[in-house]
Amino acid sequence: MQELMRQFGTILRQITQHKWAWPFMQPVDVKGLGLDDYYEVIDKPMDFSTIKNQMEAKDGTGYKNVREICADVRLVFKNAMKYNAEKSDVHVMAKTLLEKFEERWLQLLPKVTEEEKRRDEEESVAQMDMQLAQEAAYAKLARDISNELYEVDLHLEELREMVVRKCRKISTEDKRNIGTALSLLSPEDLLKALEIVAQNNPSFQSTAEEINLDMDAQSESTLWRLKFFVKDALEVQGKTSLSTGADNNNTNNSNKNKNNHSNSNQKVQNNKRKREICDAIAISAKKRSKKPHDRITENIVKGDAEFHMNSERAFS
């Protein structure tokens, strides 16, 4: 690219040294020439001194490639042709120099195209190399993590075996209790328990339709893990059952309170009815007591008493 910039600089010197290049060497003196409408016609003014300064810029604001310089050179002449009348001297001078520039640019263009293609390939290769390097770094990181996890698993297995060796042996009664506890587990917990067995016994099919689990054939570590698992699972099931039972008791107590309230109301009504009957009997007895014959009165009172007793029995 530096070589192309050098060759393009040669073309640019040939154009700027032409006898008709002088109107385009410096920015247009808009105010001095009284060109009040210049900025209304020209959107982006350009001249060769501005191009030269940008080519020599060292702060990173300069041209990145020769196509950018080429575009500004064309802009110098096209601005002049756009603002000045077609038959004017400036228009003719700009058109002539633009044609000469295009001829020299066509000679340099194949080299520019080749260089751009080479740069694109280099950038593509560099991008691919960067991507491959990143993927390699990620793969190495994944391997390192995998190795570390493998070592941790081995260490945990060693610790597990050491704990099992230091623990007492699972007794026959313990094995029987574990088997009984397994039968009390929910389907979900039972499946988890069978998965524990399968971890240390690859040939064991935890998802088979019929499973024959021989407790004597299991390792000590498997039996200890099963023991702790079924203990925790049954405790959780017990808490869930207690919670459900408490809800049912609350419902039963509520219904019982309603029944007691209904019975109390019925009892009040019965007592009220008894008082009404007793009052009626007393009034009747009082009226009969005014008759002249005591024997008749005694019989009436006696009959009223029997009626009162029968009434109480009927309402009790």
Side-chain angles (χ1 to χ4, degrees):
M1 184 59 66
Q2 291 180 351
E3 177 61 21
L4 288 176
M5 295 284 280
R6 187 189 66 78
Q7 294 183 24
F8 189 87
T10 301
I11 296 174
L12 194 59
R13 281 194 298 274
Q14 293 175 353
I15 297 299
T16 56
Q17 290 175 0
H18 194 277
K19 61 181 180 180
W20 286 355
W22 62 269
F24 315 110
M25 297 303 297
Q26 299 295 329
V28 176
D29 186 5
V30 176
K31 185 176 181 180
L33 296 174
L35 307 177
D36 298 333
D37 61 342
Y38 186 81
Y39 295 113
E40 297 177 3
V41 178
I42 304 302
D43 296 329
K44 182 182 178 182
M46 187 56 60
D47 63 279
F48 285 115
S49 65
T50 301
I51 293 175
K52 182 175 181 296
N53 292 334
Q54 194 163 347
M55 289 179 65
E56 296 174 353
K58 303 297 183 181
D59 57 356
T61 61
Y63 296 110
K64 302 298 186 297
N65 53 66
V66 294
R67 285 189 183 273
E68 292 181 354
I69 310 174
C70 178
D72 279 352
V73 171
R74 287 170 175 164
L75 186 60
V76 172
F77 298 129
K78 288 183 177 180
N79 284 347
M81 294 169 62
K82 182 178 181 180
Y83 186 78
N84 295 278
E86 186 175 357
K87 300 297 184 180
S88 66
D89 292 341
V90 175
H91 185 101
V92 173
M93 295 164 68
K95 184 177 180 181
T96 301
L97 292 177
L98 179 59
E99 291 174 352
K100 292 182 177 295
F101 172 75
E102 294 293 353
E103 289 177 1
R104 289 167 174 75
W105 170 250
L106 287 177
Q107 296 175 359
L108 184 62
L109 185 58
K111 296 181 180 180
V112 174
T113 304
E114 181 180 357
E115 177 62 18
E116 290 174 343
K117 182 179 179 181
R118 186 188 65 81
R119 288 172 65 90
D120 290 341
E121 291 176 351
E122 287 182 353
E123 291 178 358
S124 178
V125 171
Q127 186 175 2
M128 182 63 68
D129 291 341
M130 182 180 297
Q131 183 177 354
L132 292 174
Q134 290 178 347
E135 292 178 354
Y138 293 151
K140 182 179 182 301
L141 180 61
R143 287 195 302 271
D144 293 342
I145 294 176
S146 178
N147 292 335
E148 291 177 2
L149 291 176
Y150 178 74
E151 293 177 358
V152 170
D153 288 340
L154 290 178
H155 186 58
L156 289 176
E157 186 63 27
E158 292 175 357
L159 291 176
R160 186 181 296 113
E161 294 298 329
M162 182 179 66
V163 170
V164 170
R165 287 194 300 270
K166 291 186 177 182
C167 291
R168 66 176 178 82
K169 297 291 184 180
I170 294 288
S171 64
T172 302
E173 183 179 356
D174 287 334
K175 295 178 183 179
R176 185 165 52 252
N177 292 336
I178 294 173
T180 303
L182 288 173
S183 65
L184 300 176
L185 294 178
S186 64
E188 294 79 6
D189 289 335
L190 180 59
L191 180 60
K192 294 178 181 178
L194 295 178
E195 290 176 353
I196 292 175
V197 177
Q199 289 177 1
N200 290 336
N201 189 358
S203 62
F204 180 76
Q205 298 295 327
S206 61
T207 58
E209 294 183 0
E210 294 184 0
I211 297 175
N212 184 16
L213 182 59
D214 185 4
M215 289 296 178
D216 294 330
Q218 308 305 317
S219 65
E220 289 293 320
S221 60
T222 299
L223 292 173
W224 275 108
R225 292 178 64 190
L226 282 176
K227 181 176 181 179
F228 291 129
F229 175 79
V230 296
K231 178 178 178 295
D232 294 339
L234 291 179
E235 287 181 355
V236 173
Q237 289 183 193
K239 292 179 181 178
T240 304
S241 299
L242 289 176
S243 177
T244 304
D247 293 340
N248 292 334
N249 289 335
N250 291 334
T251 302
N252 293 334
N253 291 334
S254 178
N255 293 333
K256 185 177 180 180
N257 291 333
K258 290 181 180 178
N259 293 333
N260 291 337
H261 181 69
S262 177
N263 293 335
S264 178
N265 291 337
Q266 185 66 34
K267 186 175 181 181
V268 170
Q269 292 178 359
N270 291 339
N271 291 335
K272 182 178 180 182
R273 181 59 179 165
K274 289 179 181 180
R275 285 195 300 271
E276 291 176 351
I277 293 174
C278 291
D279 292 342
I281 293 172
I283 294 172
S284 176
K286 185 176 182 181
K287 289 180 179 179
R288 290 190 179 96
S289 66
K290 295 179 180 180
K291 294 185 179 182
H293 302 291
D294 293 338
R295 185 176 181 181
I296 297 173
T297 302
E298 181 181 357
N299 291 334
I300 292 173
V301 173
K302 183 179 180 180
D304 289 340
E306 291 176 353
F307 175 76
H308 173 63
M309 294 176 64
N310 292 333
S311 298
E312 287 183 339
R313 282 195 293 272
F315 284 93
S316 62

